[in-house]
Amino acid sequence: RRFAFIWGTVYLYRCITILMTSLPVPGLHLVCQPKYPPNTPFSAVFKKSFRQFLGFGMKMTNDPKMICGDYLFSGHTHANLTSLLFFYRYMPIEMFGKISSKYAKKLYYIWKYFIGIMTCISIYCIILAKEHYSVDVIVAYYIVSRLFRLVHAIVDNKENKFDCSKRYVAVDGVKKNDKYDQIENITHNPLANLWYTKIIIWSEKNVKIEEFE
């Protein structure tokens, strides 16, 4: 659920940035689909869009001519970084053996550094191949990393989860309760103002958070 929410939300942001800012192609090797004339039937546009949908937007599965303009920000960087962050967060050491085993820990950290380095190389290759501008990669990194950390700041702690359902939170060690209007020492809760906070809390209602988290 967390993966699907973050993945979908980032692509929602990407749709907005594509509509607002259309950048020219970053390389001469990219051949774009020409604009349709005004009298083009809807069926032709739908057929092209459906073929693009079936190929997941990848040019190697569709026509040689691409539908250009979807550069800000990089969807390739988003896919790489989101996958990396979820691997780091949820891949258990037990997959490499018992926790008490020193070899399991060594293998885990080797694997962790390996996929981190490979992700950096893949992002660099995106820029090197002139598939995206460097600003596309930077914006993708910022959006993915901030969203990932904010979502987990909300759902990974019982107190945070409780606080994010309220507009105000107690500070300086004041005991929390449901009647915040009776507490003098309170402050606004910035996480509660995020548009997706209620959606996250609703989707995590049946998720039990262990004490060590």
Side-chain angles (χ1 to χ4, degrees), residues 157-174:
N157 185 279
K158 287 182 179 180
E159 292 187 357
N160 284 353
K161 210 170 181 181
F162 173 81
D163 289 342
C164 287
S165 62
K166 308 294 181 181
R167 293 186 61 188
Y168 301 94
V169 291
V171 295
D172 296 334
V174 179

Side-chain angles (χ1 to χ4, degrees), residues 47-58 61-62 67:
K47 183 179 179 181
K48 177 66 178 180
S49 302
F50 189 67
R51 289 187 65 185
Q52 194 77 11
F53 172 77
L54 291 178
F56 296 98
M58 299 181 184
T61 58
N62 294 280
I67 298 177

Side-chain angles (χ1 to χ4, degrees), residues 1-2 155 161 199-208:
R1 281 177 287 189
R2 297 176 185 181
V155 299
K161 210 170 181 181
I199 300 174
I200 284 292
I201 294 175
W202 170 78
S203 67
E204 297 269 336
K205 275 186 177 180
N206 62 341
V207 177
K208 294 182 179 180

Side-chain angles (χ1 to χ4, degrees), residues 19 46 50 58 61 72 74 96 104 111 129 137 142 160-161 175 183 188-189 197 205 213:
L19 290 173
F46 179 80
F50 189 67
M58 299 181 184
T61 58
L72 189 65
S74 172
F96 301 92
W111 168 84
V137 172
Y142 180 82
N160 284 353
K161 210 170 181 181
K175 186 177 180 180
I183 301 177
H188 285 279
N189 182 12
T197 298
K205 275 186 177 180
E213 292 186 349

